[in-house]
Amino acid sequence: MSGGEAVPPDLAAQVSAFTARLRDRHGFLIGPGETADALRALGAVDVLERREVRGALRAVLSASPEQLRLFDLEFNAFFRVEGAAQPKLPPLLPETKAPGGEEQTDPGPPPPPQPGQRPAPKPTRAPAPDDAPDPDEDAPDSQAPGQPLAGEDQAPPDDAAVPSLRARLSPNAAPGQAVQAGGDDLPDLLRAASALVRSLQLGRARRLKPQPNRGPKLDARRTLRAAARTAGDATLLRWLGRPRRAPRFLLLIDGSRSMGADATLLLRFAQALHLRSRRVEVYAFSTGLTRLTPLLRRAPPGVPLTLPDLGDAWGGGTRIGENLLRLAREERAHVNRDTLILILSDGLDTGEPALVGRALRDLERRAGGVVWLSPLAAGPNYRPVQRAVAAALPFLDALLPVAGVDDLHALPRRLRAARRS
């Protein structure tokens, strides 16, 4: 197909599936508009040339050097040549037949060497083609499956086949149990949440409203009405102003194993903040992301907080960047200058730190403030050397400690100091 023609329907379907793969697996910010641009770019190249197709899609779908690397890997895996067989490696040594015909018998022990003659070497068996290494196996697995490790006692042979087991890294390491976050500190957390809501001032309302005290604009109509009661003498002036709007909170709680008891404390603080303000959104993440706001709304405040199994959002590993990108997509329409984003995490991450900076760059442009609360920051010799924290620092208003209820009480004062500086 020459440039400028329409893209075939089957290729258009493959491109749509490929963009969905980039978005779901690697957090590419790709929507229907980017997919349509990719199809238009393919209409300008020869789709029978693999190199031109890859170059056109790279120019539209990739936005950074890190994305270019991920794009090339996914493109080669997605648009591979169908029907191509996996390469087979040859045996380590050529297979040779033993002398004496195809039917080989046990030659028995070698004869004793004659005087002055060197002993014959022990016979070795050439590896069969089935013994060749499998190219699909992981590179670090130098030990063949089902074989004993070096220095390990080998069990006696048995007629029954012994099954071999291989450990794999599970993407979902959550315990699969209900989350118990109960505690007797809810009254203290409610006071800390109330102080935070009262002290936070981010944006003002767009419409002018009557002010009890002096404001930036004179309310002529209300002033004249008041003057009618005093024979036309405007003794009392009425004022208009834009009052402060109630702040909105977006909480992202790290529920990975490294957080330990700090995660349950921050979860109870999120519940207390939700009881003091209805403009609160709460998410939890580990290797996945889950919205907790509906669960907190249904939780009765008089009993210990218990949440159902959160799956891969609690008790597993840590993927901060991927989950921040997903949060940015889901909350993009709701984040504004009245929103304070609180990231409650120790910053110990196994993902790509570049994704953290990319997500926070987008959120910081929209939000009224982005604050990172870390239990590790409460240490006297703490340094923000974690890769995720270092990538997030240029986009943060403050990096503050949160190792207990006292730190939560001090949060409003520390936020004011950070915003003044």
Side-chain angles (χ1 to χ4, degrees):
M1 186 183 85
S2 60
E5 299 182 6
V7 179
D10 54 347
L11 179 58
Q14 288 183 350
V15 171
S16 299
F18 179 60
T19 57
R21 178 170 177 160
L22 294 176
R23 179 176 61 251
D24 298 338
R25 290 193 176 187
H26 304 288
F28 281 41
L29 295 179
I30 298 175
E34 287 76 11
T35 304
D37 292 340
L39 294 177
R40 283 195 295 269
L42 290 182
V45 300
D46 187 0
V47 297
L48 299 181
E49 292 292 336
R50 178 185 177 91
R51 179 175 299 179
E52 293 187 16
V53 171
R54 182 177 62 181
L57 294 180
R58 286 179 86 214
V60 176
L61 303 178
S62 302
S64 66
E66 178 64 24
Q67 285 190 1
L68 289 176
R69 185 182 67 84
L70 295 175
F71 175 89
D72 291 339
L73 294 176
E74 288 295 343
F75 183 88
N76 294 333
F78 188 85
F79 292 100
R80 62 181 181 274
V81 181
E82 298 184 359
Q86 292 289 343
K88 292 293 184 181
L89 298 180
L92 298 180
L93 295 176
E95 184 179 4
T96 57
K97 297 182 179 180
E102 295 181 357
E103 295 184 0
Q104 185 174 353
T105 59
D106 187 6
Q114 298 295 329
Q117 182 181 1
R118 298 176 61 183
K122 295 183 179 181
T124 59
R125 182 180 66 89
D130 293 338
D131 296 336
D134 190 354
D136 293 335
E137 296 295 335
D138 297 336
D141 294 337
S142 59
Q143 184 71 24
Q147 298 295 331
L149 298 176
E152 181 178 343
D153 295 336
Q154 186 172 359
D158 192 1
D159 295 338
V162 179
S164 61
L165 300 179
R166 170 168 290 185
R168 295 290 186 186
L169 178 61
S170 174
N172 184 357
Q177 299 178 356
V179 178
Q180 303 291 337
D184 55 357
D185 52 0
L186 184 58
D188 289 340
L189 294 176
L190 286 172
R191 287 192 292 270
S194 300
L196 179 61
V197 173
R198 289 194 305 267
S199 65
L200 194 61
Q201 296 182 353
L202 296 179
R204 292 186 178 274
R206 294 183 179 180
R207 293 184 178 181
L208 293 171
K209 295 183 178 181
Q211 298 294 308
N213 300 319
R214 185 179 178 88
K217 185 176 181 180
L218 179 66
D219 189 350
R221 185 176 60 179
R222 293 176 63 240
T223 300
L224 292 176
R225 285 182 180 178
R229 304 188 189 99
T230 58
D233 189 6
T235 58
L236 295 178
L237 300 181
R238 308 294 183 178
W239 300 94
L240 293 175
R242 292 183 174 86
R244 293 282 184 180
R245 288 189 294 236
R248 185 176 184 270
F249 297 92
L250 179 57
L251 275 68
L252 185 64
I253 302 176
D254 186 350
S256 60
R257 289 188 298 266
S258 62
M259 287 289 289
D262 295 318
T264 57
L265 170 65
L266 299 176
L267 193 57
R268 293 196 300 274
F269 176 69
Q271 181 193 20
L273 191 60
H274 188 274
L275 292 174
R276 286 293 179 258
S277 174
R278 303 300 292 180
R279 295 165 58 86
V280 177
E281 283 290 339
V282 183
Y283 286 81
F285 76 93
S286 180
T287 55
L289 184 71
T290 296
R291 183 170 177 257
L292 301 184
T293 308
L295 301 177
L296 295 178
R297 287 176 181 172
R298 295 193 295 264
V303 298
L305 179 62
T306 301
L307 300 180
D309 175 28
L310 301 180
D312 57 359
W314 199 267
T318 313
R319 294 282 182 176
I320 300 178
E322 297 174 5
N323 291 294
L324 277 175
L325 281 176
R326 180 179 168 188
L327 179 73
R329 291 196 301 266
E330 295 184 2
E331 290 291 327
R332 181 189 297 266
H334 305 289
V335 174
N336 53 31
R337 304 309 296 179
D338 298 336
T339 306
L340 177 66
I341 300 176
L342 296 176
I343 303 173
L344 302 91
S345 173
D346 54 9
L348 302 179
D349 189 17
T350 58
E352 291 292 335
L355 299 180
V356 177
R358 174 184 170 185
L360 288 183
R361 181 173 61 250
D362 182 63
L363 291 172
E364 186 266 341
R365 291 173 181 173
R366 300 172 178 270
V370 181
V371 178
W372 193 299
L373 304 179
S374 173
L376 301 180
N381 299 322
Y382 172 75
R383 295 292 182 272
V385 296
Q386 296 85 4
R387 297 193 306 164
V389 178
L393 278 178
F395 311 101
L396 298 179
D397 290 84
L399 173 62
L400 302 177
V402 56
V405 181
D406 294 338
D407 289 330
L408 294 174
H409 279 288
L411 182 58
R413 172 175 51 83
R414 292 170 177 171
L415 279 178
R416 288 193 299 267
R419 294 179 69 86
R420 285 195 300 266
S421 61

